[in-house]
Amino acid sequence: DVKVTQSSRYLVKRTGEKVFLECVQDMDHENMFWYRQDPGLGLRLIYFSYDVKMKEKGDIPEGYSVSREKKERFSLILESASTNQTSMYLCASSSDGDSHRGYEQYFGPGTRLTVT
Amino acid sequence: DQQVKQNSPSLSVQEGRISILNCDYTNSMFDYFLWYKKYPAEGPTFLISISSIKDKNEDGRFTVFLNKSAKHLSLHIVPSQPGDSAVYFCAASRGAGNTPLVFGKGTRLSVIA
């Protein structure tokens, strides 16, 4: 069974703080993703990584950075948290491969971040 | 520009009846489509998928239909159960696993007992 874990389920931070969200997957997946989910806006891609030390911007990268030093771990960093970054953050992973199973992304439980 | 659209934000269905959730896409390069289900305070879970070379895929109570000419897919749930109440996301892929999925905004399904 694929397992994607996220370091916190709920987090409350103050404006201006640096925030780290950690994600770990145990299936040796090559690809990892960070999304945020907001009501009425669906899932929006922040950053993704298809290999260690590689990263690509998604649709809304502003105000965020990422780090992938090990294959199983993908971190999302909010350099200076702002109230408009209050959201549900979701991490996902997927494998490469030529089978359609490789297209499926597996999600973690999410981190509900509140910035006050 | 939204490439995957779910035009109904919400849907209410009586228990035992059919639920039909719709999804439209604009990018003809998409070759694989997936449906995810999401409960509050949980991550989305994969439900069912379909390749662009097929027009139907069935898994128990869930069937996905794909109409490539109309760039439209739909998810049918028969019979609907109260536990099906969740947000359903349609997603599309245009390549291998390292190409991000493109998600719709979701449809909230409420199944009323």
Side-chain angles (χ1 to χ4, degrees), chain A residues 36-98:
Chain A
R36 62 179 282 178
Q37 185 201 1
D38 301 287
L41 297 178
L43 297 170
R44 294 184 292 167
L45 181 66
I46 305 171
Y47 268 96
F48 67 102
S49 169
Y50 53 86
D51 202 352
V52 176
K53 297 192 185 295
M54 303 301 289
K55 61 184 179 185
E56 294 284 343
K57 291 180 180 180
D59 301 317
I60 51 165
E62 296 79 17
Y64 303 93
S65 62
V66 290
S67 173
R68 193 165 181 205
E69 296 295 319
K70 293 184 177 182
K71 190 175 185 180
E72 68 271 17
R73 189 179 297 269
F74 193 34
S75 302
L76 180 70
I77 303 151
L78 287 67
E79 296 290 342
S80 177
S82 63
T83 55
N84 63 12
Q85 292 179 309
T86 291
S87 186
M88 167 73 90
Y89 288 87
L90 293 159
C91 176
S93 70
S94 72
S95 68
D96 280 345
D98 54 7

Side-chain angles (χ1 to χ4, degrees), chain B residues 54-73:
Chain B
K54 296 185 176 181
D55 55 18
K56 177 182 174 181
N57 188 28
E58 195 170 351
D59 184 2
R61 296 186 297 116
F62 303 92
T63 303
V64 56
F65 296 93
L66 176 62
N67 182 333
K68 280 184 66 178
S69 61
K71 294 190 176 69
H72 176 84
L73 62 154

Side-chain angles (χ1 to χ4, degrees), chain A residues 9-10 31 33 35 37 40-43 45 48 50 88 90 94-97 100-110, chain B residues 31-32 34 36 38 40-46 51 53 87 89 93-106:
Chain A
R9 293 299 301 273
Y10 301 94
N31 313 300
F33 309 85
Y35 296 87
Q37 185 201 1
L41 297 178
L43 297 170
L45 181 66
F48 67 102
Y50 53 86
M88 167 73 90
L90 293 159
S94 72
S95 68
D96 280 345
H100 286 300
R101 293 295 293 179
Y103 293 9
E104 182 183 330
Q105 290 182 10
Y106 297 84
F107 284 85
Chain B
D31 65 349
Y32 198 69
L34 307 91
Y36 282 82
K38 187 182 184 298
E42 294 183 14
T45 54
F46 170 75
S51 164
I53 62 173
V87 177
F89 291 99
S93 172
R94 58 180 184 274
N98 61 5
T99 304
L101 297 178
V102 180
F103 285 87
K105 292 186 177 181

Side-chain angles (χ1 to χ4, degrees), chain B residues 2-92:
Chain B
Q2 227 183 319
Q3 297 185 68
V4 177
K5 298 179 184 178
Q6 294 178 256
N7 291 320
S8 298
S10 62
L11 176 68
S12 287
V13 172
Q14 288 279 343
E15 181 180 6
R17 306 293 288 265
I18 184 171
S19 295
I20 301 176
L21 294 90
N22 294 304
C23 179
D24 298 294
Y25 62 96
T26 58
N27 191 337
S28 57
M29 298 296 291
F30 288 142
D31 65 349
Y32 198 69
F33 303 90
L34 307 91
W35 284 94
Y36 282 82
K37 176 179 179 179
K38 187 182 184 298
Y39 292 118
E42 294 183 14
T45 54
F46 170 75
L47 192 58
I48 192 169
S49 61
I50 188 166
S51 164
S52 61
I53 62 173
K54 296 185 176 181
D55 55 18
K56 177 182 174 181
N57 188 28
E58 195 170 351
D59 184 2
R61 296 186 297 116
F62 303 92
T63 303
V64 56
F65 296 93
L66 176 62
N67 182 333
K68 280 184 66 178
S69 61
K71 294 190 176 69
H72 176 84
L73 62 154
S74 60
L75 174 68
H76 292 212
I77 307 173
V78 183
S80 301
Q81 299 173 354
D84 296 328
S85 297
V87 177
Y88 290 79
F89 291 99
C90 172

Side-chain angles (χ1 to χ4, degrees), chain A residues 7-38:
Chain A
S7 50
S8 305
R9 293 299 301 273
Y10 301 94
L11 210 51
V12 180
K13 295 291 182 181
R14 297 210 171 163
T15 303
E17 278 193 84
K18 191 168 186 176
V19 182
F20 293 86
L21 301 181
E22 303 283 336
C23 176
V24 177
Q25 50 93 4
D26 66 358
M27 279 301 291
D28 202 35
H29 283 172
E30 292 81 5
N31 313 300
M32 297 187 75
F33 309 85
W34 274 107
Y35 296 87
R36 62 179 282 178
Q37 185 201 1
D38 301 287

